[in-house]
Amino acid sequence: MPATAHRPARRQANGHNPLAAPLAVFAAAALLAVLYVAYVLWPRWPDTPVALDAPALPIAIAGVTFNIEPASIRMAVQRHPGTQERVDLAYLWPSLKPPDPTLKPAIGAPVDPNERLFVTVASGEDSMPLMERVETIYPRYLVPQPAGGPDGLTLRGFRDGTPYQGEELVFEQAKPEHFLARCSVKGVVNSGECLLERRIGNADLTFRFPRDWLNDWRRVAAGVDRLMARLHPG
């Protein structure tokens, strides 16, 4: 009887791809990374609003942490701790206390422009520091001759036809980096408005007040110093 020829069994293809498992793991890791980044960056606010009389909130702007009383924050959407692009604040003058949230202005009552100091804290990472602007940008727009201002201040107006027409620089002659404001010459409801800038790290603080306060500018400068120390101790 002839011997039966034995042929080796052919391996059945089972469709297995050796790269499938690593690719699946990589895709899962990439998805988790995207979900994590979305979770971190997505704006989140507390489920319950922060009480206006709550303790100061730690708010980080441009990598700088500020301690800010909720009652001083003008916009409800900004009343939460964590990282923000900017916050808008208001303080009673000259006490520098947050406004009393229980006091509502009477309908039709005139607004007293001298009762509040407004502050904006925002990222300054994409803007030029004030003193650099004073040295490199502003001189091309200023009038040639300065003028004397209130005790110890110098006024330097901007020329007509420039981006800053109708304004002037007002600064402490002996120490301009301590007190330097850009003020409008004339306002709608008062004598004008001034913007005084300070910088902490990469965060810019802009203080807005009526031009009339220049007559007591030393008190304004001292108030700004006290408020900065309170917002950012140390």
Side-chain angles (χ1 to χ4, degrees):
M1 183 176 180
T4 303
H6 294 279
R7 297 179 182 177
R10 181 178 296 176
R11 181 176 296 177
Q12 299 296 322
N14 57 8
H16 175 70
N17 185 347
L19 297 178
L23 287 175
V25 172
F26 176 79
L31 179 60
L32 288 175
V34 171
L35 291 176
Y36 175 77
V37 172
Y39 173 79
V40 171
L41 297 181
W42 192 265
R44 297 185 302 278
W45 292 269
D47 294 333
T48 57
V50 175
L52 292 176
D53 59 352
L57 302 173
I59 296 177
I61 297 175
V64 182
T65 300
F66 297 89
N67 298 322
I68 303 176
E69 303 99 326
S72 68
I73 301 176
R74 299 173 60 196
M75 303 176 64
V77 72
Q78 297 175 341
R79 295 192 191 110
H80 65 90
T83 300
Q84 300 193 46
E85 286 296 319
R86 62 177 283 169
V87 288
D88 300 281
L89 316 173
Y91 297 91
L92 298 177
W93 182 260
S95 69
L96 296 180
K97 294 179 180 179
D100 187 346
T102 64
L103 297 179
K104 304 297 182 182
I107 297 177
V111 177
D112 183 359
N114 293 306
E115 68 177 4
R116 295 192 181 189
L117 173 66
F118 295 97
V119 186
T120 297
V121 186
S123 173
E125 293 176 328
D126 297 326
S127 64
M128 183 180 294
L130 173 62
M131 295 312 297
E132 288 188 27
R133 271 179 278 146
V134 171
E135 296 173 357
T136 62
I137 303 297
Y138 291 158
R140 69 187 70 171
Y141 301 125
L142 292 168
V143 297
Q145 297 299 325
D151 181 31
L153 291 182
T154 298
L155 310 180
R156 191 83 181 271
F158 289 96
R159 301 192 313 274
D160 291 340
T162 69
Y164 305 101
Q165 68 176 9
E167 299 180 346
E168 57 188 357
L169 288 182
V170 182
F171 53 93
E172 183 179 356
Q173 180 65 40
K175 196 177 180 183
E177 67 278 3
H178 178 239
F179 189 90
L180 188 150
R182 205 176 80 231
C183 301
S184 57
V185 177
K186 183 171 60 175
V188 177
V189 296
N190 54 24
S191 63
E193 188 174 75
C194 293
L195 300 176
L196 185 149
E197 298 179 37
R198 296 282 183 87
R199 176 169 284 205
I200 300 177
N202 287 324
D204 283 338
L205 294 87
T206 303
F207 300 83
R208 177 162 55 91
F209 55 88
R211 184 186 174 97
D212 288 338
W213 291 10
L214 292 178
N215 294 322
D216 196 9
W217 68 270
R218 297 181 193 277
R219 190 181 192 184
V220 174
V224 167
D225 290 341
R226 292 200 313 274
L227 191 54
M228 287 187 62
R230 198 168 86 204
L231 291 172
H232 184 69

